[in-house]
Structure formats: C-alpha cells, structure tokens
Amino acid sequence: MAKRKKLSKKQLAVMEDLFSGELDEQAVLDKHKVSRNVYNRWLADGLFASEFDHRIMSAHRQSTALIARYAPLAAAKLVQLTESDKEETARKACLDIISLPALLDKRIAQPSEPQTAETQQLQQITEQTASRLLAALAQAEQ
C-alpha cells in the first residue's frame, strides 16, 4: 500500500478549524461530520499527528512572542501599581516585582542544569523577607 504524502482536504479543513479557536473540538468534528473514531484514527496517523504537533508548536511560539512583546508594558504597569492608594494592591505589586527575577531565572535555566542549594536559596524569598522589604520601601517614601 502506497503511503500518503499529504493530508486530505477534509483533514486540512478539520485542522484549520481546530486551530482557529472559534469552535471546540467536538463542534469542529460535528461541523465536518467526522466521527470520534475516525478522528482518533487520524490522531494515530503519523502524517496527521505530525501536522497537529507542528501547529501546536507554532501556536506556542506565537503566544510566547506575544507575551514577550507586551512584557515591558506589563512591567511598567506593575511598577505603577506600587504607587496605588490601595495598600493591598501596592503590596501585591511589590511582591510580584520582587519575585519576577526568580521566575525569569527559572524560565531561562536549562532543565538539565542542576541547581545548587545556594542557587535555590537565592531564588526563594520568604514572605517575612518580602514584608521587611516593603516596610523599608514605605519608610523610604516617608
């Protein structure tokens, strides 16, 4: 039996609708009159699964790029919130700013890169330490 080299028009149409974000999976299958069994066979098919995985990776890259594009704006807004009249809002913004470098370090670090106990201690900040930092910031403003 000859191997297929491309997806059928119906498979491509289903794939397009799955990744357009307008319909959920079952609604897409209903729209194209594809049974769950047929869809499961498609998912087991190497060509369909490969295209499916490719589109998932592409969607992740697009979302990462979008988040990166708006990160400076989000950071600026977070800094503005530290000046809020609402004490709880300002406190949470300060905590987010303090914890942001640790979150970024975790994303940048390679999964295979072992962390030493010293590195882990530097990345963790206790609530008590955060409270002291906030108190120092409040006193500095007065």
Side-chain angles (χ1 to χ4, degrees):
M1 182 161 82
K3 291 227 177 195
R4 292 179 302 129
K5 297 198 183 213
K6 61 182 187 176
L7 298 175
S8 70
K9 288 182 181 180
K10 191 171 204 171
Q11 286 175 318
L12 287 171
V14 168
M15 189 81 68
E16 288 295 323
D17 282 345
L18 283 171
F19 286 91
S20 71
E22 296 172 13
L23 301 171
D24 67 6
E25 183 180 70
Q26 190 57 53
V28 170
L29 296 179
D30 293 344
K31 175 182 175 182
H32 294 282
K33 296 178 177 63
V34 174
S35 72
R36 176 60 64 177
N37 288 336
V38 169
Y39 180 63
N40 287 339
R41 274 188 268 138
W42 287 358
L43 289 171
D45 174 49
L47 188 60
F48 188 87
S50 176
E51 178 65 19
F52 194 87
D53 290 342
H54 172 74
R55 290 186 187 222
I56 287 173
M57 288 187 305
S58 176
H60 281 287
R61 280 192 304 274
Q62 289 173 9
S63 65
T64 300
L66 182 64
I67 290 168
R69 194 173 316 136
Y70 285 98
L73 177 62
K77 294 273 187 187
L78 197 54
V79 170
Q80 286 176 350
L81 286 174
T82 63
E83 301 293 325
S84 175
D85 292 335
K86 296 179 182 174
E87 190 174 310
E88 184 63 15
T89 300
R91 185 187 75 78
K92 286 182 179 180
C94 287
L95 287 173
D96 288 345
I97 290 169
I98 290 167
S99 64
L100 191 58
L103 291 172
L104 293 174
D105 288 344
K106 285 181 184 177
R107 282 190 167 183
I108 294 170
Q110 298 291 334
S112 60
E113 179 183 305
Q115 290 188 342
T116 64
E118 184 179 329
T119 306
Q120 289 176 343
Q121 284 178 338
L122 290 174
Q123 288 180 347
Q124 294 175 345
I125 184 167
T126 66
E127 195 169 318
Q128 185 179 16
T129 306
S131 295
R132 285 187 203 144
L133 287 169
L134 291 174
L137 285 172
Q139 285 180 345
E141 281 188 14
Q142 293 173 358

